[in-house]
Amino acid sequence: MTGDTTVSGISIGILGGTGDQGKGLARRFALAGHPVLIGSRSAGRAQEAAESIGSGARGAENAVVATEADLVIVAVPYDGHKALLESLRTELAGKIVVDCVNPLGFDKQGAYALPVEEGSAAQQAAAVLPDSRVVAAFHHVSAVVLMDPAVEKVDLDVLVLGDDREATDTVQALASVIPGVRGIYGGRLRNAFQVEALTANLISINRRYKAHAGVRVTDV
Ligand SMILES: NC(=O)c1ccc[n+]([C@@H]2O[C@H](COP(=O)([O-])OP(=O)(O)OC[C@H]3O[C@@H](n4cnc5c(N)ncnc54)[C@H](OP(=O)(O)O)[C@@H]3O)[C@@H](O)[C@H]2O)c1
C-alpha cells in the first residue's frame, strides 16, 4: 500500500477536464477537498465545466492548468494526446503527470485496443515528457459512476503504474481519497498497455450486462 504518503491539500489539474472523464474525476477530487483546476483548449469551456462541478473548482486553458497545478491528469482522447503533451513539455516539467488515456478503436464488434508505437499511451507520455514523472492510472473508472450523486462509494480498485515509486505512492493515495476506491500498485510503465487495453474488455462487459464494471484485486 502507500504507507504514510499524504496528498492532503495538493492541487489537481485536469487537461481535457471538460469531458466526461475529466469532470467525473474533478467532481470526486473537489468533493474530497482538493483544489481542482479544469483544463481545456478554451478558457470559457473550462470555466463552464468548473461551474457545473462546483466545490471551488476553477477552469482555465490547458497551459495555465499545467503551470499552476501540483499534479496534472491527462484526460483527452488518444487522438489529441501526443500533440497536447508535446505542447506542454515545459509547463509539465518536474510534475507528476497521470495518464488515464485508453487508445481504443471501435467497430461493429465493439471496442478493441489500438497499437501504440511507444507501447502504450502512458509510455508515449513518458517519451514526450522526459522531465515529468509519468504515472498511469484511472483507466477503468466509469465517468458515469463518478458523476452519479447517488453513488457514495465507488466499488473499484485503481491500478497505478509507473517507474517512480514516490510518484506511484502519491497517485495511489490520491485514488484512495475517492470513497470506496483503493489505489493498487500495478507495475512498471512498460506494463501499461494491457491495463489500457483491458478497458476494451470492460466496455464489452458493460454492453452485455448493462453495467459500469470495474476491477478489484484480491488478497492485497
Ligand atoms: N469516459 C470514461 O468513462 C473514461 C474512463 C477512463 C478513461 N477514459 C479516458 O479518458 C480520456 C477522456 O475521455 P472522455 O470520455 O472524457 O473524452 P472526451 O469527452 O471525448 O474528451 C475530453 C476532452 O478532451 C478535449 N479534447 C478533445 N479532442 C482534443 C484534442 N485533439 N486535443 C486536445 N484536447 C482535446 C476536449 O476538451 P476541450 O474541447 O474543452 O479542449 C474534451 O472535452 C480518454 O483518453 C479516455 O480513454 C475515459
Side-chain angles (χ1 to χ4, degrees), residues 15-25 38-43 45-46 49 62 74-81 83-84 99-104 121 137-146 199:
L15 308 179
T18 53
D20 291 344
Q21 168 76 339
K23 278 200 284 193
L25 290 172
I38 303 244
S40 165
R41 289 167 295 183
S42 140
R45 273 202 299 278
N62 284 322
V74 190
V76 297
Y78 175 58
D79 272 357
H81 178 252
L84 178 70
D99 204 292
C100 68
V101 171
N102 295 308
L104 297 177
F138 300 112
H139 303 86
H140 306 145
V141 295
S142 156
V144 174
V145 169
L146 293 175
T199 307

Side-chain angles (χ1 to χ4, degrees), residues 8-220:
S8 161
I10 71 165
S11 63
I12 302 175
I14 306 183
L15 308 179
T18 53
D20 291 344
Q21 168 76 339
K23 278 200 284 193
L25 290 172
R27 176 173 178 274
R28 294 289 171 165
F29 293 135
L31 284 174
H34 287 277
V36 168
L37 289 147
I38 303 244
S40 165
R41 289 167 295 183
S42 140
R45 273 202 299 278
Q47 280 150 13
E48 251 174 61
E51 273 164 37
S52 77
I53 299 299
S55 305
R58 291 188 295 127
E61 279 184 17
N62 284 322
V64 175
V65 168
T67 304
E68 288 188 8
D70 297 325
L71 175 150
V72 177
I73 299 174
V74 190
V76 297
Y78 175 58
D79 272 357
H81 178 252
K82 191 172 185 177
L84 178 70
L85 295 183
E86 275 170 347
S87 75
L88 298 174
R89 188 177 285 147
T90 309
E91 291 84 343
L92 293 171
K95 300 201 179 189
I96 296 178
V97 175
V98 184
D99 204 292
C100 68
V101 171
N102 295 308
L104 297 177
F106 292 86
D107 64 14
K108 280 186 194 156
Q109 293 182 43
Y112 61 96
L114 296 173
V116 178
E117 201 186 321
E118 294 85 350
S120 62
Q123 287 167 289
Q124 182 178 84
V128 170
L129 304 172
D131 300 324
S132 301
R133 305 160 79 191
V134 175
V135 172
F138 300 112
H139 303 86
H140 306 145
V141 295
S142 156
V144 174
V145 169
L146 293 175
M147 285 305 286
D148 188 345
V151 179
E152 279 174 30
K153 284 194 169 184
V154 179
D155 187 13
L156 178 82
D157 285 340
V158 167
L159 298 180
V160 178
L161 293 85
D163 298 334
D164 175 329
R165 174 69 185 266
E166 198 186 62
T168 55
D169 280 354
T170 298
V171 178
Q172 282 178 253
L174 183 65
S176 303
V177 305
I178 303 174
V181 171
R182 294 187 310 168
I184 302 285
Y185 175 69
R188 298 286 184 138
L189 219 52
R190 67 180 181 179
N191 283 315
F193 172 78
Q194 53 271 28
V195 171
E196 295 171 8
L198 183 64
T199 307
N201 304 81
L202 290 173
I203 290 170
S204 303
I205 292 167
N206 289 343
R207 286 191 176 169
R208 173 71 64 92
Y209 297 99
K210 306 214 180 317
H212 299 292
V215 168
R216 279 292 192 199
V217 178
T218 59
D219 203 32
V220 291

